[in-house]
Structure formats: C-alpha cells, structure tokens
Amino acid sequence: MLNGTWKNYENGMEQDMSSTAYALVFGSVMTLGLPLNAVSLWILVRHHSLKSPSAIFMVNLAISDLLLVLTLSMRVYFYATGTWPLGDMACIWITMLFRNNIRSSSIFITFISVDRLLAVVYPLRSRHLRTPYNAWKAVGLVWLFVVVVNIPESVDFSRFLNIYNESSCFEFHHRHPPITAMAYVQPVLVLTMLAVNIVSTILVSLTLTNRLNESARIKNKVNVMLIFAMNLMMFTVFFLPVSLCILFKSWRPYIKPLICLASVNCCLDPLLYYFSFDGFWRRKEDVDTSGARDGWRE
C-alpha cells in the first residue's frame, strides 16, 4: 500500500510539473506571438501595398498565426487549473484552429518560396503568374481547403468525445482519438510542401551561385537564402515532427511536447516578413519610390 501510494504521489507530482511547463510554454508563445503578429500584420497592410504576391501570402500567414495565438489562452487556463469549463464544441474548435495553423502556414510558406523561386530563376517568364489576382485566388483556395478538411475531422472528434464521455480537453484519460483516413491529410501535406521547399531552395541557390550576371540584379542575396533556410527550419523543427506522430506510434506519447514546439512557429514568422522586405518599416510610398517594394529585384 505504501509503495502504491508513493507511486501515485510521484505520478501526480510529475503530472503537475508537466502541466505547469505546458502552461508556461503556451503562455510565453501567446505573450510574444500576439504583439509580434499583430504589429507585423499592421505594418504589412499599412506600410506595404498588397499588390505583391509575397505580401498577400504574408498577410494571410500572419492572420493564421493570430488565430492560433488567440486560442492559446484556453490551453494555458486548462494546464494551469486542470479544468475545462467550455464544453466539447470549444475543444473541437480550438483543436481545429491548431491544425489549421500547421496546414495553412505550411502552404503559405511554400507559396512564398515558390514566388521567390519564380522571381529569381524565371523573372520574365513568371510575370503573368506572379499577379495579385492569382495570389488572392490561391489564398482563397487554401482557406477553403482547410475548412473543408475540418468538417469530417470535427465530426470524428465529436463522436470520440461523446462515446468516451470526455469532460476535459487536450488530456484524454480513456484513450486517444481514433486514427481515421482524414488524419493522414496533414502529414502528407506537410511532407509534400517540404519537398517543394527543398527543390525551390536548391534551384535558387544554384541560380545565385552560377548565374552571376543575372543574380547581380537581385538585392540582398544573403537575405534571400536566409528566408529559404528559415522556411526549411519551420518545416523540419515545427511542422514535421507533430505531423508525423500520426504515422509513428512510438512518437505518440510525445504529442503534447510536440504541440508546444509547433506553436512556437508563430513567434518566428515575423522574422520572415522582416527579411523579405528591404523597407519593412518604411511606408509603402517610400518603398514604391525606391523600387524596393518586394525587396528582391531592382
């Protein structure tokens, strides 16, 4: 009895420590991510003309991050208090918004990489593709895609909560939500987007290295490669591990730490905006006049 009581005490202490750590991580991400993304969104809309495909993709990336950040307060409350007062529907919505952030962010970051690839490697032939109209169409399709995927996922998640009568959220005592066919959408999507980013990085790197005469027209070549390096880091560190938990059962016990890690991506995206624009802090009139509106080509 004494051994059993001591083990229960140790398990309780370990659970309390892990919950406190999760609350601190999510609280820190919310504290940093909310002002960083709000200010970035304001600067992108106010100081930069939304006539650049990259600016359009970055605005929507900032919106995606803000939607995630706004849900973190409830994760902080849950892990700090151990209670969930909002019911199943709020749990479903918050879970879906987290998944949407991974999916939409991975697609928008890939769009930014492809746009930079076209601007650097095929600057003349890609002009008819790199238009604001096409960028807005792509953005609309992305949001439609993530919403459509949410519908069957939400239904499956709701059934799980009802069947097992789970009264909490993020912590399930009976079993984890079942693996369905829709669960494979995210890992397949993230792996596909990562492959596109790798190819884009290689092609741009070869262009900047081998075509010296053409690449001389491109400003801040270091910034160009930094952006591609940041994009690859986003995938390999933040998006890929949490997405692959569905494919590898041995990873599933680490799902909560990986969710914490994935949420940090919203704090680093503002760096992407900064390095993407030479005149990030300047007004759009000054940027347009200087000819450095997108910060890539003269």
Side-chain angles (χ1 to χ4, degrees):
M1 289 179 64
L2 289 175
N3 288 336
T5 302
W6 179 250
K7 288 181 179 179
N8 290 334
Y9 174 76
E10 286 184 330
N11 291 336
M13 288 292 294
E14 184 178 352
Q15 182 68 25
D16 289 341
M17 291 179 63
S18 62
S19 296
T20 301
Y22 296 144
L24 288 174
V25 171
F26 287 127
S28 300
V29 172
M30 182 180 65
T31 302
L32 290 174
L34 183 59
L36 284 175
N37 284 283
V39 171
S40 296
L41 181 61
W42 182 81
I43 291 174
L44 287 169
V45 173
R46 184 72 181 271
H47 288 196
H48 294 274
S49 172
L50 295 182
K51 296 179 180 178
S52 164
S54 287
I56 294 170
F57 297 143
M58 289 176 191
V59 164
N60 284 272
L61 182 58
I63 292 173
S64 176
D65 288 337
L66 281 174
L67 290 175
L68 172 65
V69 169
L70 293 175
T71 68
L72 295 183
S73 59
M74 294 314 304
R75 289 183 183 266
V76 173
Y77 178 86
F78 172 78
Y79 286 112
T81 65
T83 60
W84 182 254
L86 298 182
D88 292 350
M89 189 55 66
C91 177
I92 293 171
W93 276 102
I94 291 175
T95 302
M96 291 304 111
L97 284 173
F98 170 79
R99 295 179 183 180
N100 286 349
N101 175 258
I102 299 294
R103 295 161 186 171
S104 60
S105 294
S106 64
I107 297 174
F108 289 138
I109 288 175
T110 303
F111 281 173
I112 293 169
S113 294
V114 172
D115 179 70
R116 299 302 88 209
L117 166 69
L118 295 175
V120 172
V121 182
Y122 309 105
L124 298 179
R125 285 183 287 175
S126 65
R127 283 184 177 179
H128 68 287
L129 294 175
R130 299 178 59 247
T131 64
Y133 177 71
N134 287 336
W136 283 117
K137 284 198 303 183
V139 165
L141 290 175
V142 172
W143 289 115
L144 179 62
F145 166 76
V146 296
V147 171
V148 169
V149 171
N150 281 168
I151 295 174
E153 283 186 329
S154 299
V155 172
D156 290 337
F157 195 26
S158 178
R159 288 174 179 170
F160 165 78
L161 295 176
N162 291 332
I163 292 174
Y164 292 95
N165 195 25
E166 291 286 357
S167 59
S168 65
C169 193
F170 316 126
E171 294 272 358
F172 302 116
H173 304 290
H174 294 89
R175 55 172 289 183
H176 291 286
I179 305 302
T180 63
M182 292 304 300
Y184 291 91
V185 171
Q186 182 165 312
V188 171
L189 174 67
V190 170
L191 286 171
T192 303
M193 296 297 102
L194 174 59
V196 174
N197 276 272
I198 292 174
V199 172
S200 299
T201 302
I202 294 173
L203 291 177
V204 170
S205 178
L206 290 174
T207 299
L208 295 179
T209 302
N210 299 329
R211 302 180 184 178
L212 298 179
N213 292 333
E214 295 182 19
S215 62
R217 299 165 54 194
I218 303 171
K219 292 186 175 183
N220 295 334
K221 300 168 193 174
V222 174
N223 281 11
V224 174
M225 294 313 303
L226 272 176
I227 291 168
F228 281 94
M230 285 179 58
N231 290 349
L232 292 178
M233 182 196 68
M234 287 289 187
F235 277 88
T236 55
V237 176
F238 301 113
F239 299 155
L240 193 58
V242 71
S243 300
L244 290 181
C245 281
I246 192 64
L247 301 180
F248 302 103
K249 291 183 178 180
S250 60
W251 290 25
R252 291 174 193 171
Y254 308 103
I255 183 64
K256 287 184 290 184
L258 292 177
I259 288 175
C260 285
L261 179 64
S263 66
V264 178
N265 84 87
C266 66
C267 296
L268 299 181
D269 283 335
L271 290 176
L272 180 64
Y273 314 143
Y274 178 79
F275 286 115
S276 294
F277 294 96
D278 289 340
F280 183 71
W281 296 101
R282 286 182 288 174
R283 293 185 179 277
K284 60 185 178 182
E285 293 85 358
D286 298 333
V287 177
D288 291 341
T289 301
S290 66
R293 180 170 54 197
D294 58 4
W296 295 87
R297 300 179 65 245
E298 292 181 337

